[in-house]
Structures are given as structure tokens and as C-alpha cells.
Amino acid sequence: MTTGASTPTYPARPRRSRVRTFLPLGVAAWLVLEIWLLTLVAGAASGFAVFLLLVAGFVLGSVVIKRAGRRAFRNLNEALQRGGAPSDSDSGGNGLMMLGGLLLMIPGLISDAVGLLLLIPPVQKAVGRYAERTFDRKLRTAAQGSLGDAFQQARMHRPDGKVVQGKVIRDVQDRPEDTPEDRRPPLTR
């Protein structure tokens, strides 16, 4: 039945990136490989040996995360007491160390191997430099604009297309005047 109203036309959906397309397939393949390796090791040694490996990985990962978190907090606290921001040399790869600990805590032999690799300082430096270069490159190629532009675009591309027009009117009489004695000094020292 036609009512005479025009059907809304939606803009074409943006194309999905390759990462978003193949990430579920990669995660599924990784899980299958982890389970296959665990069953292979359980067949060669025993199920109890695999259980001990998994528990040892969990305990080691939690210790690594705890140490890296404490070190990061201590560095941040010292930097704030100095009155500045923590420098890159203070961080010492705490984020990658925490990621390595998290990978150790995830059950599986491949994740344990990658987690142990991330605990080695030269590997941490190489991965950190690669991540920084990638982030800088992505930041340079990003479209120019402010955060307000992002909100404006999100509002205009809503699926239903509804936009409410309006104005903000402020009553000057309802607002007390800002006098110099009412203003508070800045909180910085």
C-alpha cells in the first residue's frame, strides 16, 4: 500500500576495513590452533602437565601485570611530585609488559609464547617503535577537523534522518553578574 510519502533514502554504508572483515576469522583460527596444540601436548605428556602449564602461565602473568602496574604507578607518582608529565624513558614499556602478562594469563601455548616474547626488553622496544610509527602515520593521514565536527557528522548521518532545529536563549536577568570578588583563583600553583 502506498501512502504517497517518499521512502527515506539512506546514504551508502561505508565499506568495512580488512581488519574488521578478517578479524573474526583470525580469532577463530587462533582458538582452533590453541586447542589443537593443547591436545597435542596433553597426548604427548599428560593432561595434568597441560593443567600445570596453564596454571603456571596464569600465575606468572598475574605477577607480571602486578609488577608493571606498580612500576607505572610509581613512575606517575614521581613525575607528579616533580611537577611534570612522565617521560617516555620513565614508562619503560609498562604497557607492553602488561600486555605480555595478559597474554600469559590467557590459556594457550601460542599466547604464552607471544606473552613471553613481549617480556624481553629488545622486543618491547621494537614493538613500541613500530606501534608509535604506525600511530603517527595514522594520525597524519586522518582527516582534519575538531571533535565538534565529528559530533556534527554523527548527528547528520543518523539512520532515521531526523534533526531537531532550535536555538538556545539565555536570560541575562536570571544570571548574577560575575564580579571580580566572585571569581576564584586558578587551582594551579
Side-chain angles (χ1 to χ4, degrees), residues 4 29 32 68 102 110 124 139 170:
V32 168
L102 179 67
I110 297 172
Q124 283 180 357
L139 196 59
R170 294 184 182 169

Side-chain angles (χ1 to χ4, degrees), residues 71-108:
R71 190 169 66 178
F73 186 73
R74 185 179 60 241
N75 290 342
L76 178 65
N77 202 8
E78 289 171 359
L80 289 175
Q81 286 178 356
R82 285 192 311 257
S87 65
D88 290 337
S89 63
D90 287 344
S91 66
N94 289 325
L96 289 174
M97 191 171 283
M98 286 183 189
L99 179 62
L102 179 67
L103 286 172
L104 282 170
M105 290 177 73
I106 294 174

Side-chain angles (χ1 to χ4, degrees), residues 105-183:
M105 290 177 73
I106 294 174
L109 299 176
I110 297 172
S111 62
D112 287 349
V114 173
L116 286 173
L117 276 175
L118 283 177
L119 296 181
I120 301 171
V123 175
Q124 283 180 357
K125 288 180 184 178
V127 170
R129 282 193 306 263
Y130 175 75
E132 188 176 350
R133 280 195 312 264
T134 303
F135 181 73
D136 286 341
R137 187 177 64 240
K138 293 281 185 183
L139 196 59
R140 273 187 263 122
T141 60
Q144 298 292 326
S146 67
L147 191 58
D149 294 338
F151 285 123
Q152 181 73 16
Q153 291 173 358
R155 181 186 62 86
M156 291 179 358
H157 289 89
R158 285 186 45 203
D160 60 358
K162 294 180 182 175
V163 176
V164 177
Q165 299 291 338
K167 291 183 179 180
V168 176
I169 301 173
R170 294 184 182 169
D171 258 348
V172 178
Q173 298 140 354
D174 295 341
R175 208 173 103 219
E177 291 293 325
D178 286 337
T179 57
E181 62 266 10
D182 289 340
R183 293 187 189 142

